[in-house]
């Protein structure tokens, strides 16, 4: 299962998983850095050598389907609807939904972001759980969703001396760690940080506020959870 698929993610994914074996793709919000590689994934599913039986479930947030179809209409106007529907089974989730995909149950919580966005908690049949913050400013609802998770994958967009004026939509490493502490999660992995920020400085900052396992995500990082 893939949570968000921004630019470059599809190529990276192919290093580990044959794309025709995916069970579902879930998009947390419709910012381009979280969904653009739906397009190359679509081309692979349609024309690639690996064939799957049936369509791939694509879960989008409310309003996501219309936005994706508008994007497609700009470059494939003749097949605006077929382009997606030939390979994807598009479904729209809301905060109230609980989605079952194989042995994982997904639950959602709205985040504090510039547009409607959702954090996801994936819980396996045995209770092991991973919560992914998507993009969010510090949020009680995300803390509630993440409560007791084995892994909390949290964004840390803001650099150590960066602050957001006005409406907030992102966290610093410190704020991510404070959420992890409040949610009493087992381990925290920071992600969605700027390329100019040394990863070590993020984990150092987070460790000051969170005593559980703490790490920083990077391309090709593999973790065993539970
Ligand atoms: Zn965003
Ligand atoms: Zn983002």
């Amino acid at each position: 299962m893939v949570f968000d698929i921004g630019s470059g993610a599809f190529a990276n994914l192919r290093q580990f998983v044959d794309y025709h074996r995916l069970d579902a793709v879930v998009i947390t919000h419709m910012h381009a850095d979280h969904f653009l590689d739906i397009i190359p994934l679509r081309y692979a599913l349609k024309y690639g050598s690996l064939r799957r039986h049936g369509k791939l479930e694509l879960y989008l947030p409310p309003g996501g389907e219309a936005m994706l179809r508008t994007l497609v209409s700009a470059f494939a106007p003749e097949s605006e609807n077929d382009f997606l529907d030939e390979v994807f089974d598009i479904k729209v989730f809301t905060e109230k939904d609980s989605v079952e995909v194989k042995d994982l149950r997904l639950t959602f919580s709205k985040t504090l972001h510039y547009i409607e966005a959702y954090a996801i908690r994936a819980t396996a049949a045995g209770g092991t759980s991973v919560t992914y913050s998507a993009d969010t400013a510090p949020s009680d609802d995300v803390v509630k969703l993440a409560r007791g998770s084995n892994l909390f994958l949290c964004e840390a967009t803001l650099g150590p001396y960066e602050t957001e004026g006005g409406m907030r939509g992102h966290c610093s490493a410190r704020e991510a760690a404070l959420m992890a502490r409040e949610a009493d999660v087992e381990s925290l992995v920071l992600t969605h940080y700027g390329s100019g920020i040394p990863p070590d400085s993020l984990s150092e900052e987070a460790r000051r506020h969170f005593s559980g396992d703490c790490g920083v995500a990077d391309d090709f990082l593999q973790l065993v959870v539970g």
Side-chain angles (χ1 to χ4, degrees):
M1 192 178 315
V2 176
F3 294 164
D4 284 345
I5 185 159
S7 300
F10 179 56
N12 286 356
L13 176 83
R14 293 189 66 184
Q15 306 286 323
F16 293 102
V17 183
D18 290 333
Y19 53 81
H20 71 307
R21 295 183 53 229
L22 291 175
D23 290 313
V25 175
V26 187
I27 305 297
T28 61
H29 66 297
M30 298 308 285
H31 274 156
D33 58 324
H34 293 254
F35 77 85
L36 270 190
D37 271 10
I38 286 174
I39 306 300
L41 172 60
R42 179 272 176 191
Y43 280 107
L45 290 168
K46 167 88 175 157
Y47 298 111
S49 53
L50 303 173
R51 291 300 158 115
R52 62 175 286 126
H53 299 293
K55 297 177 182 182
L56 175 58
E57 291 183 350
L58 172 60
Y59 290 90
L60 298 173
E65 184 174 355
M67 131 101 77
L68 194 56
R69 290 193 192 283
T70 302
L71 175 73
V72 168
S73 72
F75 63 85
E78 71 293 343
S79 61
E80 190 177 328
N81 288 323
D82 288 352
F83 184 92
L84 295 168
D85 298 331
E86 276 174 334
V87 300
F88 295 120
D89 179 10
I90 295 181
K91 298 168 180 239
V92 176
F93 66 82
T94 72
E95 202 169 17
K96 294 185 192 81
D97 292 330
S98 156
V99 169
E100 312 274 340
V101 180
K102 292 231 167 138
D103 62 343
L104 285 181
R105 189 166 54 89
L106 308 184
T107 46
F108 306 91
S109 157
K110 237 183 219 175
T111 77
L112 289 176
H113 199 45
Y114 311 117
I115 61 170
E116 191 168 337
Y118 292 84
I120 307 169
R121 179 179 182 130
T123 307
T128 301
S129 57
V130 173
T131 301
Y132 164 50
S133 73
D135 286 359
T136 190
S139 155
D140 291 341
D141 288 339
V142 175
V143 167
K144 220 179 278 172
L145 185 76
R147 178 91 55 215
S149 294
N150 297 85
L151 171 66
F152 181 35
L153 183 61
C154 189
E155 71 123 291
T157 308
L158 304 175
Y161 305 106
E162 215 175 332
T163 52
E164 283 184 305
M167 189 195 174
R168 295 208 48 194
H170 289 297
C171 278
S172 64
R174 177 179 162 273
E175 289 168 332
L178 290 173
M179 280 206 287
R181 187 167 80 186
E182 211 183 318
D184 199 20
V185 300
E186 200 173 287
S187 58
L188 167 69
V189 171
L190 302 173
T191 189
H192 200 279
Y193 54 93
S195 58
I197 301 176
D200 286 353
S201 72
L202 293 174
S203 45
E204 250 169 60
E205 176 64 16
R207 281 196 190 97
R208 277 192 206 118
H209 307 280
F210 175 66
S211 57
D213 284 343
C214 205
V216 179
D218 202 348
D219 289 350
F220 308 121
L221 175 69
Q222 296 183 66
L223 298 165
V224 177
V225 181

